[in-house]
Amino acid sequence: MRTNDVPASPASPEDDTPLLRFLRAIPKVEIHCHLLGAVREATFLEWTRRAAAKAGGQPPLSEDEARAFYDRGEKPVGVLKALRSLDAFLITQPDDLHRLVYEYLQDAAAHQVRHAEFFWNPTGTAQESGIAYPRALEAIVRAIHDARTDFGIQGWLIAAIDRQAPPQAALEMAEWVVAHRREEVLGIGIDYNEVDHPPEWFAPAYALARRAGLKTTAHAGEFGMPWTNVKTAVDLLQVDRIDHGYTVTDAPEFAQRCAERGIVFTVVPTNSFYLRTLPKERWALDHPIRRMPGLGLRIHPNTDDPTLHKVTPTGTWQMMVRDFGFSIDDLRGFMMNGLDGAWMDEGQRRQWRQDFGVAFDEARALHRP
Ligand SMILES: [Zn+2]
């Protein structure tokens, strides 16, 4: 048994248990993953060396600093600095975005992810990397199709508002999405640091997206921010689902309303805030994820920033059992929550609910977790 606060690497041999074999085998959807948080370490290092060569004597980031981003300690400080480095000087051309998407989808497909909705921040790409939305989108869509052909995984894009940029940039981003409409872009979200950047700032961007028929989600109730941010996302932004949302557990009446509406919460077992702030011996016991289903909330586990969090899709499911004590039957429910929360057409959802259910039961019988 590993300690609770260090996410296991599911690829390590000591973890080759019946549970892991079962969890690897089950088909999955992933609906909360950030493209820049899925960059492979080798790719990150290669781009760090490229940036250093271009900069001459004054590299913007040393190789040691780059490696440190992938060295996740017991009290992780979070990954925002690594993500900002990618926008600021590591991603320099559309082909870099193609590579990121293609590698992420390849890695996800290896864990039986069949449908992946991933976040990407067009504002940072345009303003920091210097790649305008249409060119960036073209490269990403090309990678989505290449991965579909090569790995059989369906990738979809969620254009995410960088909440640390001015609210006007959020509206501008929503206008780009609407003006350059592609079927691969399903909707919009908000991410980055929620502290001092509340959801109500982005109401105009959400209103525009909804009028254009786009789906919406929002990071809210993360970083210990109050449950009222979740309420704002639900009532004012009128989101279709919530990312994180943990502090909803502080407001049982509001949680009940979310439960009655069937809102799906995409949760992240490796979320840095709780690993850092809860005592090591209490981390898994006091984590709000553990309490959410008891309030009737529909949750679904996700990787968020898989390579930087040192976790895989299989690993997130393992943590739900190993760290939070959920049962195999609970997992079956979480799997269905993911399908219901995913932005796919109703015909496919019905078919996949049936197919995933059969595959889950067969894997359970085979591996006896
Ligand atoms: Zn996230």
Side-chain angles (χ1 to χ4, degrees):
M1 191 73 182
R2 283 163 175 270
T3 52
N4 283 337
D5 59 348
V6 181
S9 162
S12 58
E14 70 270 26
D15 279 324
D16 195 18
T17 59
L19 175 65
L20 243 323
R21 286 193 287 273
F22 162 70
L23 294 175
R24 273 198 210 104
I26 54 174
K28 301 171 186 75
V29 299
E30 175 145 271
I31 54 178
H32 180 166
C33 180
H34 303 269
L35 180 61
L36 300 193
V39 58
R40 292 176 183 169
E41 184 172 4
T43 303
F44 198 105
L45 289 171
E46 188 182 318
W47 288 348
T48 300
R49 286 190 284 269
R50 183 178 69 182
K54 208 166 133 197
Q58 283 261 308
L61 188 73
S62 73
E63 276 195 54
D64 284 347
E65 286 172 307
R67 280 205 178 83
F69 290 143
Y70 288 84
D71 184 16
R72 194 163 164 85
E74 283 193 358
K75 297 288 174 194
V77 291
V79 303
L80 299 189
K81 198 172 166 213
L83 306 182
R84 294 297 185 195
S85 304
L86 283 157
D87 269 343
F89 46 79
L90 296 180
I91 294 169
T92 59
Q93 55 198 9
D95 277 352
D96 296 342
L97 294 164
H98 180 283
R99 178 171 173 180
L100 271 183
V101 172
Y102 188 81
E103 290 181 352
Y104 161 58
L105 291 173
Q106 180 177 24
D107 292 346
H111 287 266
Q112 305 303 325
V113 175
R114 306 281 164 80
H115 170 110
E117 297 171 15
F118 56 92
F119 294 107
W120 160 58
N121 300 92
T123 299
T125 301
Q127 293 185 353
E128 300 290 317
S129 310
I131 309 169
Y133 183 78
R135 286 181 72 215
L137 182 63
E138 190 281 324
I140 291 174
V141 167
R142 193 160 42 84
I144 284 173
H145 288 280
D146 290 346
R148 210 170 278 189
T149 303
D150 294 349
F151 314 120
I153 180 172
Q154 295 187 4
W156 305 95
L157 206 51
I158 305 174
I161 292 167
D162 175 351
R163 69 198 318 155
Q164 292 174 265
Q168 185 54 35
L171 186 59
E172 181 187 51
M173 187 213 80
E175 287 166 354
W176 293 342
V177 174
V178 172
H180 303 274
R181 197 67 189 270
R182 294 290 296 255
E183 65 174 9
E184 292 82 2
V185 186
L186 300 178
I188 68 164
I190 329 178
D191 54 24
Y192 280 111
N193 196 344
E194 189 179 339
V195 180
D196 298 328
H197 302 91
E200 56 268 28
W201 287 4
F202 309 103
Y206 275 73
L208 174 64
R210 278 189 285 103
R211 276 200 304 277
L214 290 160
K215 294 285 194 181
T216 60
T217 184
H219 282 48
E222 195 192 2
F223 303 99
M225 287 295 98
W227 68 273
T228 47
N229 277 4
V230 184
K231 184 171 183 292
T232 302
V234 169
D235 291 343
L236 179 68
L237 305 186
Q238 298 180 35
V239 292
D240 298 290
R241 64 181 189 234
I242 289 284
D243 302 309
H244 301 289
Y246 311 117
T247 49
V248 72
T249 54
D250 297 335
E253 278 179 31
F254 173 64
Q256 191 183 347
R257 184 147 70 83
C258 293
E260 283 163 3
R261 286 183 49 182
I263 295 171
V264 171
F265 286 69
T266 67
V267 298
V268 173
T270 51
N271 184 260
S272 305
F273 176 78
Y274 293 103
L275 282 166
R276 192 172 63 247
T277 56
L278 293 174
K280 186 176 169 180
E281 62 285 358
R282 296 290 314 170
W283 169 80
L285 297 172
D286 295 343
H287 203 295
I289 287 178
R290 197 183 260 271
R291 297 194 298 280
M292 292 172 85
L295 293 167
L297 297 168
R298 305 190 68 188
I299 65 170
H300 177 260
N302 290 268
T303 57
D304 202 19
D305 299 302
T307 53
L308 295 166
H309 285 195
K310 301 264 192 194
V311 75
T312 65
T314 300
T316 64
W317 287 86
Q318 183 193 27
M319 289 176 74
M320 298 301 274
V321 176
R322 184 196 62 193
D323 297 320
F324 301 135
F326 291 112
S327 70
I328 303 299
D329 287 332
D330 292 329
L331 298 190
R332 200 177 194 283
F334 301 157
M335 181 180 75
M336 295 300 173
N337 292 344
L339 288 168
D340 288 347
W343 297 335
M344 58 177 68
D345 74 60
E346 290 310 317
Q348 184 177 36
R349 193 190 319 283
R350 258 197 313 278
Q351 186 63 48
W352 280 30
R353 280 183 64 98
Q354 195 179 333
D355 295 348
F356 275 42
V358 168
F360 186 98
D361 297 337
E362 285 177 356
R364 188 177 189 171
L366 180 66
H367 298 294
R368 301 181 182 283

